[in-house]
Amino acid sequence: MTFRNTIMPAFRLLGVPLAALLALPASAEPDFVHEVAPILKKHCAECHTDMKKKGGLSINNEESFWQGAESGPIIDKAHLEKSLMLELITTDDEDIRMPPKGKGLDEKEVAIVKAWVLAGAKWEPGFAFKQPAYEPPLKPRNPTLPVAVGTRTNPIDRIIDHYLAEKKQPTPAPLDDPAFLRRVHLDLTGMLPDAEVLARFLADKSADKRARVVDALLADKTAYAEHWLTFWNDLLRNDYAGTGYIDGGRKQISGWLYQALYDNMPYDEFVRSLVAPTKENEGFAAGIKWRGSVSAAQITPMQYAQSVGQTFLGINMKCASCHDSFVDRWKLSEAYGLAAIYSDEPLEMFRCDKPTGKPAVPGWLFPELGNVDAKLPKAERLKQLAALITHPQNGRTPRAITNRLWQRLMGRGIVHPVDAMQSPPWSEDLLDYLGVHLVENKHDLKKTLRLICLSQAYQSKAESFEESPQENSYVYRGPRPKRLTAEEFTDAIWQICGTAPAKFDAPVKRLIAGSTGPALTQKASWVWADSNPEKPGAKLVLRKRFKLAKVPDAAYAVASVDNRFVLYVNGRKAGEGTDWQVPISILLKEHLVVGDNELLLVSTNEGTTPNYAAAMLHALMKQGDKWAELVTDDSWEVSSTLPDSNGVFKTPPTDWRRATVIPTDSWPAVSKAIPSQLTSIASPQPMIRAALLKSDLLMRTLGRPNREQIVTTRPNDLTTLEAMDLNNGAILDQRLGEGAKSLLRRNFPTSSELASFVWRSALSRDPTAEELQIAVSLLGPKPDATTVQDFLWGICMLPEFQIIR
């Protein structure tokens, strides 16, 4: 039995529902709108939609369909193949067969409906056979805020408190400090708060500490840009590899997008730049030029119409690209009108891929705000469209983006789904207020995020569910739990273990906010022995011993020796140099331990005269916001006895003596270069993020899309493929193996301290006594790489780790 087989029962003792990670996958199913809905409309809609509910069954929309008939549900969720619906359309008994008139469904229609049911009977979001009369307002509206309840003065809380009172719902319970800190770090920067950040936050008793955390996270321009890059890459279908990039049929906008996020470009300017693009960001507008023949709905001008409508207005133009929409009010002529604005040539309209002989007329969807002059050149038409989409009287654009941000932070949109903005919101006042707030704050998305994060609504405990909620009868009861994205999951492992890669794939100029290290002066001395060897090429060992109360957050060194050196730290090779004029940078942190530490600098003089080599080393260690320096000086010791290739003495030297200091200006250029180089490498360098990397198989399994299509909401359900990859996948296994070795190099004094560190880093809390006892028993008194790897695996499988609550 493997250790993983033994760890799962142990973690079950903690009340972890690991079985929840083994849900059935979603199988491929027929296209609902184009294949299933026409069959249901043809055979079922006359008797079972809107006000007609024969037998108590209405299939008008998703909610009524799942409510079933008077006799009960027509879909058996536990046994899809036994669903009543399948029995009714396939039986030979004419007394119960549906539909009751005529011959019923033909074989092809039965096959389509059966495949759809067996795949889970999924509906197109927002689809209904008879749409409600709701039409969202076009112009912005600034609602009157209700009176605040007590100290809950945030405008969001004032609106929601009034809403909850009307719905007779309780106010959600507040979130405690550890849970808030974990949630807000992941939501705003995609990173876990480290153990020291958590400790300082918990020790802080000031009333405004949560606001200061929010402000600090939003001020971290690098972390913000690299986290929200994932959101926008999905939404703008931008990636670093994949369909179209090799053959030139697709262009990246990565560099432009990264800079826009780093600079917090105002959203109206952001939209205008993408709608009427320049060379550096035209990839979004141009879409993908597919090789070979494509349908009329896939030509690049139609892709433009679909992308602009979906991304910036939250409306579905895909259905209307083929025929008048089944989902909402949009017409084929309107989709073609938007496409014609972008087209270089006159467009003929196609209906269901058949030419109509009618030309498309360039036009904007809401002509009451103005329109596009079809006679103008393409570039000018696009500028007019960009101005109309961001028109001050167009309230739809700010509502669409603030609804997306609300969904990202709160787990569900005010309008759901976020691309169905023709649907009624659960709170018109809240949606309208957020849109107006964005515009009043000069389209600053960070200010919208701040407003939401500082609300008591955001800082409340998440809803919990025993069954999947019915979305069409949704009542707000608090935030919804959210899964870590594929990138957040990957980053979390690298962050906990300190194993992030050194390079990234995105073609961007990475910008590091506030990347300044300590100002260093020349403090190190050139040192050697005060006697001469008998022959040239002599070797000398320089030693420095010191104690550490804890392993520093960061530790670096720069060294130079005339001519060659190897640096050993605690019996492990840490770095080497072969040219005295080129100082070598060395990362020390992973070699340092709590307690006694030893640096051995083995120097070799490769000259032709019998001299010992002169050496200079300047080290820098950081703990919290404090720096400590360690330099070569006369406190170092020297010996002619050499260690082995692992930096270990077979016989301890007995000739240790004090090093001799020689004038610093002996090699002035190198002497001055060393502190400057050390300052450079000690400047804060955030870890490389998964958002900057090409997708791997694990990230794909965890929901990162291929971005050939716009993706606005990633799946929240776990599939069997994910469960298998999380249980036995080679990439995760390798990643946790590397993490285990990295954690062992930190030399935690006890298994208890190792377990507690991982617990705080991963879950933002200390383990309970029972959890710690189980973890220590699994790790054993002297953990090895295998046991630590499996312990990490167990932590990563916890729903508490994978879900933002």
Side-chain angles (χ1 to χ4, degrees):
M1 178 178 287
T2 67
F3 194 70
R4 289 192 179 183
N5 293 134
T6 63
I7 197 171
M8 290 185 75
F11 275 90
R12 284 196 190 98
L13 293 176
L14 307 180
V16 176
L18 291 175
L21 299 177
L22 301 175
L24 287 172
S27 304
E29 68 260 32
D31 183 277
F32 178 82
V33 169
H34 295 94
E35 296 180 90
V36 179
I39 297 173
L40 299 181
K41 183 177 181 180
K42 175 182 176 183
H43 295 287
C44 312
E46 181 180 350
C47 299
H48 298 289
T49 58
D50 201 24
M51 299 304 293
K52 284 188 176 182
K53 297 177 63 174
K54 288 191 176 182
L57 174 65
S58 170
I59 64 166
N60 186 57
N61 55 39
E62 184 176 10
E63 182 182 18
S64 63
F65 174 83
W66 284 103
Q67 285 175 350
E70 293 172 353
S71 58
I74 61 172
I75 302 295
D76 186 337
K77 292 183 179 181
H79 304 284
L80 294 168
E81 72 283 357
K82 297 180 181 180
S83 295
L84 176 61
M85 183 176 186
L86 296 183
E87 180 184 348
L88 294 176
I89 66 172
T90 58
T91 181
D92 293 329
D93 188 340
E94 295 184 1
D95 291 334
I96 62 172
R97 187 181 65 204
M98 291 290 164
K101 299 177 182 178
K103 296 181 180 179
L105 282 64
D106 62 31
E107 290 184 3
K108 182 179 179 181
E109 291 171 331
V110 168
I112 290 173
V113 173
K114 184 176 181 180
W116 174 67
V117 170
L118 294 180
K122 295 181 180 177
W123 282 58
E124 178 77 11
F127 178 89
F129 285 99
K130 293 193 176 182
Q131 292 292 337
Y134 179 80
E135 173 68 19
L138 174 60
K139 295 184 177 182
R141 179 180 74 93
N142 197 353
T144 301
L145 294 176
V147 176
V149 177
T151 59
R152 296 166 65 90
T153 57
N154 184 296
I156 291 173
D157 294 321
R158 292 169 68 171
I159 293 171
I160 287 183
D161 287 346
H162 181 70
Y163 169 93
L164 292 173
E166 281 191 336
K167 299 292 183 181
K168 298 181 180 179
Q169 294 292 324
T171 303
L175 204 61
D176 61 27
D177 277 349
F180 165 78
L181 192 68
R182 187 176 195 267
R183 180 191 289 181
V184 77
H185 268 256
L186 287 167
D187 281 347
L188 294 183
T189 66
M191 300 285 284
L192 295 165
D194 64 38
E196 295 214 359
V197 168
L198 175 64
R200 288 197 297 270
F201 183 70
L202 296 181
D204 188 347
K205 303 304 179 184
S206 56
D208 65 342
K209 68 177 185 178
R210 293 193 178 191
R212 286 189 285 107
V213 165
V214 171
D215 289 339
L217 293 173
L218 291 174
D220 189 338
K221 299 166 72 172
T222 303
Y224 173 87
E226 294 178 0
H227 171 55
W228 288 92
L229 190 63
T230 292
F231 173 87
W232 285 107
N233 276 340
D234 284 5
L235 196 55
L236 302 175
R237 66 174 184 180
N238 180 66
D239 216 332
Y240 318 129
T243 300
Y245 290 123
I246 296 175
D247 61 15
R250 188 180 182 188
K251 296 180 181 179
Q252 290 191 44
I253 61 169
S254 304
W256 177 88
L257 179 58
Y258 186 98
Q259 187 72 55
L261 294 174
Y262 186 87
D263 293 338
N264 192 31
M265 180 184 289
Y267 185 65
D268 58 340
E269 180 184 345
F270 182 88
V271 173
R272 287 193 293 271
S273 298
L274 290 168
V275 173
T278 59
K279 284 287 184 183
E280 64 179 346
N281 67 338
E282 64 182 343
F284 167 74
I288 301 174
K289 187 176 181 180
W290 300 100
R291 288 180 290 178
S293 59
V294 297
S295 71
Q298 291 177 298
I299 61 174
T300 51
M302 192 57 79
Q303 289 183 47
Y304 176 83
Q306 295 165 0
S307 298
V308 167
Q310 182 177 2
T311 301
F312 303 126
L313 299 170
I315 59 178
N316 183 349
M317 301 304 294
K318 291 182 180 179
C319 196
S321 301
C322 189
H323 45 69
D324 290 350
S325 178
F326 292 152
V327 177
D328 46 40
R329 72 170 179 84
W330 305 109
K331 306 295 184 183
L332 180 68
S333 59
E334 292 174 311
Y336 266 94
L338 199 55
I341 298 174
Y342 183 77
S343 180
D344 293 308
E345 301 174 351
L347 279 182
E348 180 185 2
M349 292 172 54
F350 280 63
R351 184 182 298 277
C352 296
D353 226 24
K354 295 180 181 179
T356 66
K358 297 179 181 179
V361 179
W364 163 234
L365 299 173
F366 305 99
E368 54 265 53
L369 293 181
N371 216 324
V372 172
D373 186 347
K375 297 178 182 179
L376 290 175
K378 174 183 172 179
E380 295 304 313
R381 297 197 304 266
L382 292 177
K383 288 180 181 178
Q384 286 187 341
L385 177 61
L388 288 167
I389 290 179
T390 57
H391 193 288
Q393 291 302 303
N394 179 11
R396 283 179 170 250
T397 300
R399 288 190 205 107
I401 184 58
T402 53
N403 186 57
R404 294 191 193 284
L405 297 183
W406 181 272
Q407 186 274 335
R408 192 70 196 91
L409 296 183
M410 302 294 282
R412 188 193 188 278
I414 305 167
V415 175
H416 176 85
V418 291
D419 290 330
M421 292 299 288
Q422 289 293 118
S423 306
W426 59 261
S427 172
E428 287 185 307
D429 283 354
L430 180 57
L431 184 64
D432 287 340
Y433 178 81
L434 290 176
V436 169
H437 176 272
L438 175 66
V439 175
E440 288 180 344
N441 284 277
K442 300 180 180 180
H443 300 267
D444 187 338
L445 294 180
K446 285 188 178 183
K447 290 190 177 178
T448 299
L449 293 170
R450 183 181 191 274
L451 177 73
I452 297 172
C453 289
L454 293 185
S455 70
Q456 296 302 309
Y458 176 82
Q459 298 179 27
S460 298
K461 288 184 177 179
E463 285 188 272
S464 60
F465 306 99
E466 293 184 1
E467 297 181 358
S468 297
Q470 294 293 322
E471 297 297 353
N472 287 344
S473 57
Y474 175 78
V475 174
Y476 172 84
R477 295 181 177 87
R480 288 259 178 101
K482 309 181 295 285
R483 287 184 61 189
L484 293 179
T485 65
E487 292 85 349
E488 289 168 347
F489 183 91
T490 302
D491 285 344
I493 294 174
W494 288 339
Q495 189 180 358
I496 294 164
C497 302
T499 50
K503 299 179 180 180
F504 59 90
D505 302 313
V508 304
K509 179 182 178 182
R510 195 173 191 225
L511 303 170
I512 310 301
S515 56
T516 56
L520 300 179
T521 58
Q522 175 58 48
K523 295 180 181 177
S525 301
W526 290 99
V527 294
W528 64 357
D530 58 0
S531 58
N532 290 326
E534 296 180 358
K535 299 179 181 180
K539 295 180 180 291
L540 182 70
V541 181
L542 296 104
R543 179 175 76 174
K544 179 66 177 180
R545 289 177 166 177
F546 56 95
K547 290 181 179 289
L548 290 174
K550 60 193 311 183
V551 175
D553 296 333
Y556 318 92
V558 175
S560 176
V561 173
D562 182 15
N563 297 87
R564 179 185 296 271
F565 76 89
V566 177
L567 177 67
Y568 296 97
V569 181
N570 295 325
R572 295 177 61 223
K573 183 177 177 180
E576 62 183 321
T578 58
D579 183 348
W580 70 275
Q581 298 181 85
V582 182
I584 301 300
S585 302
I586 302 163
L587 298 178
L588 295 180
K589 178 182 176 180
E590 66 178 43
H591 304 288
L592 300 175
V593 299
V594 174
D596 293 324
N597 288 266
E598 181 180 71
L599 304 184
L600 290 180
L601 191 63
V602 180
S603 63
T604 304
N605 189 329
E606 296 183 330
T608 57
T609 58
N611 285 318
Y612 284 119
M616 177 177 281
L617 179 145
H618 196 152
L620 193 61
M621 289 171 273
K622 184 181 182 183
Q623 195 71 60
D625 57 356
K626 296 182 179 180
W627 295 89
E629 296 177 73
L630 184 152
V631 299
T632 44
D633 55 21
D634 62 3
S635 68
W636 284 59
E637 299 173 292
V638 298
S639 170
S640 301
T641 304
L642 301 179
D644 62 19
S645 59
N646 294 317
V648 177
F649 293 104
K650 294 181 180 178
T651 302
T654 57
D655 61 340
W656 288 113
R657 57 197 186 278
R658 285 203 171 229
T660 299
V661 174
I662 59 178
T664 299
D665 59 2
S666 298
W667 295 278
V670 177
S671 299
K672 292 178 180 178
I674 285 178
S676 175
Q677 186 170 328
L678 184 59
T679 298
S680 177
I681 67 169
S683 299
Q685 296 291 318
M687 74 176 216
I688 300 299
R689 304 286 296 275
L692 297 172
L693 301 178
K694 294 177 182 177
S695 185
D696 57 32
L697 290 177
L698 178 61
M699 281 196 273
R700 288 288 175 88
T701 300
L702 293 174
R704 176 164 165 172
N706 59 19
R707 293 171 177 153
E708 291 172 6
Q709 302 295 330
I710 289 172
V711 175
T712 56
T713 306
R714 293 190 185 180
N716 212 36
D717 298 324
L718 189 71
T719 67
T720 298
L721 179 59
E722 288 178 77
M724 292 171 62
D725 239 6
L726 291 173
N727 190 45
N728 290 307
I731 295 176
L732 181 59
D733 185 68
Q734 177 185 358
R735 207 155 278 165
L736 295 178
E738 294 169 350
K741 293 175 184 177
S742 177
L743 287 173
L744 284 173
R745 287 196 290 268
R746 300 190 188 194
N747 292 306
F748 290 96
T750 65
S751 295
S752 175
E753 291 188 48
L754 189 159
S756 295
F757 170 81
V758 171
W759 222 280
R760 285 191 293 269
S761 300
L763 305 178
S764 298
R765 67 174 179 86
D766 285 314
T768 65
E770 182 184 14
E771 288 168 338
L772 186 59
Q773 180 182 6
I774 294 170
V776 169
S777 68
L778 294 171
L779 288 167
K782 293 185 177 180
D784 59 20
T786 300
T787 54
V788 174
Q789 179 184 7
D790 283 334
F791 170 66
L792 286 172
W793 174 85
I795 292 292
C796 290
M797 292 306 100
L798 293 173
E800 185 181 355
F801 174 77
Q802 295 192 24
I803 297 174
I804 306 172
R805 296 189 184 277

